[in-house]
Amino acid sequence: MTPSPTTDLQNQCDLLRSLHRPGAPLLLPNAWDVATARAVVAAGFTVVATTSVGVAATLGYADHEAPTDEMVAAAARIATSVEVPVTVDAEAGYGMEPAELVAALRSAGAAGCNLEDTDHTAGCLRDPERQAEWLKAVRQAASADGYRLVINARVDVFFGPFLAGAEPGTQEGLVPEALRRANAYLEVGADCVYPIALWETDALRRFTAEVRGPVNVVRLPQTPSLAELAAVGVARVSWGPFLYLDAMARFAEQLASLRG
């Protein structure tokens, strides 16, 4: 008997969740279209993750500015093109209500998603209690639909200072707030937390020691080696927009060389 699409998706959700093992991190090179998703699988990776930066750019938009239906359609094309779980960078939820977001992710065939706690309209972090309630509603909507969606809750405490050029040695002071948010998100049903741009070893070690769930780290140029990340208990490593940005830089170099 051939498994139904619903059964296949649930199995992919369960597989994705099972691959979050502290100390043996799941590696997620982020794809931005069908061709790159297939390349990730061909290279032997067991899960495809998307990058909202790259997906939006291929659609002709800046990050956080692409229409929701186009982002969801792009995710669906990727998910239907590969036979491995796909986890979608769903930004801050596209402004959708939880049930609407869950329905969109399920229709796209997403086994998991990233959901960040930045309010891009206001240009600041969301209130952690309100964000926890929103994540709880997402989990409840998925559970009510029998959908075992894997939620990776992004914690953006380190991100703004990193983009602003914070000096090395400043991240440890931000760990308490990051932990407060991360543990609140895990308590309401997130499967993993993603303190994006956390890279300083001491701060990362403290975070992973005190958080109550799996941790996703982004592979910045200054991030410790994969072996070091495994040693401090990281469960998931993603590349965010960096593979896309590197590919575009190489493309620009090739174009420049065509003029001889």
Side-chain angles (χ1 to χ4, degrees):
M1 185 176 186
T2 303
S4 70
T6 297
T7 301
D8 283 343
L9 180 56
Q10 300 293 43
N11 289 339
Q12 289 183 343
C13 292
D14 293 341
L15 174 59
L16 174 58
R17 185 174 285 105
S18 75
L19 293 172
H20 290 69
R21 298 189 293 264
L26 170 64
L27 302 183
L28 295 172
N30 299 72
W32 54 93
D33 59 12
V34 168
T36 52
R38 287 176 172 167
V40 167
V41 176
F45 293 93
T46 55
V47 174
V48 169
T50 69
T51 161
S52 67
V53 171
V55 173
T58 63
L59 296 173
Y61 302 94
D63 197 22
H64 308 295
E65 294 183 7
T68 298
D69 59 346
E70 293 191 39
M71 292 296 284
V72 173
R77 286 193 295 273
I78 290 171
T80 56
S81 74
V82 295
E83 295 184 356
V84 302
V86 172
T87 180
V88 173
D89 181 353
E91 305 174 29
Y94 307 126
M96 292 179 165
E97 293 299 318
E100 183 185 14
L101 174 63
V102 165
L105 291 169
R106 184 166 191 163
S107 70
C113 65
N114 288 359
L115 295 171
E116 58 204 56
D117 63 358
T118 293
D119 182 335
H120 295 281
T121 301
C124 62
L125 293 179
R126 291 177 170 176
D127 175 79
E129 285 75 22
R130 290 182 62 187
Q131 178 69 359
E133 284 301 309
W134 185 78
L135 289 170
K136 181 179 180 180
V138 173
R139 170 57 68 210
Q140 289 175 336
S143 296
D145 199 29
Y147 176 25
R148 298 193 286 272
L149 176 70
V150 177
I151 299 173
N152 187 34
R154 211 175 85 174
V155 178
D156 288 0
V157 169
F158 304 97
F159 195 39
F162 173 79
L163 293 177
E167 292 294 322
T170 59
Q171 289 197 326
E172 197 156 5
L174 301 175
V175 170
E177 174 61 16
L179 283 167
R180 182 167 78 98
R181 288 174 175 268
N183 284 324
Y185 303 162
L186 290 163
E187 186 175 338
V188 297
D191 298 281
C192 183
V193 289
Y194 182 11
I196 188 170
L198 172 56
W199 64 272
E200 294 181 7
T201 302
D202 289 343
L204 178 57
R205 183 180 293 111
R206 180 181 171 191
F207 184 89
T208 55
E210 297 183 32
V211 75
R212 295 191 289 271
V215 176
N216 183 168
V217 168
V218 69
R219 196 79 170 89
L220 301 169
Q222 58 268 64
T223 301
S225 69
L226 292 177
E228 291 171 301
L229 293 176
V232 299
V234 169
R236 171 169 162 160
V237 179
S238 51
W239 272 254
F242 293 107
L243 293 174
Y244 163 75
L245 296 172
D246 184 58
M248 293 306 297
R250 289 174 183 267
F251 186 52
E253 290 173 2
Q254 290 293 315
L255 290 174
S257 74
L258 298 181
R259 298 183 182 276

